[in-house]
Amino acid sequence: MPAIVGIVQVVSIGSSGVLNIGDVFQVQPVSSAKTFAGAGSFNTGDGLYVYNALSNTNTYDQDAVDQPIALNV
């Protein structure tokens, strides 16, 4: 059954958002991200004490593409 859509005002859509008006079979937003973080970066809690004397984060990645999304439709 076809959708009947009235007036629509779109103020903004985020960079990874999807807007669909009407009938649709499947909506599948696709995104990819890589995060580098040093020691103790994602620790959470009350009264947390993290001691990192000499710490560095290795960001060298020999792969050209880690998670291809070009033909992921």
Side-chain angles (χ1 to χ4, degrees), residues 36-72:
F36 295 105
S41 296
F42 297 114
N43 292 330
T44 59
D46 294 332
L48 186 67
Y49 177 75
V50 178
Y51 178 72
N52 297 321
L54 297 174
S55 177
N56 62 358
T57 302
N58 183 9
T59 59
Y60 174 71
D61 188 11
Q62 62 186 357
D63 299 334
V65 177
D66 288 330
Q67 184 177 358
I69 60 172
L71 299 175
N72 191 9

Side-chain angles (χ1 to χ4, degrees), residues 15-16 28-34 64-73:
S15 62
S16 63
Q28 188 176 19
V30 179
S31 66
S32 175
K34 181 183 282 192
V65 177
D66 288 330
Q67 184 177 358
I69 60 172
L71 299 175
N72 191 9
V73 292

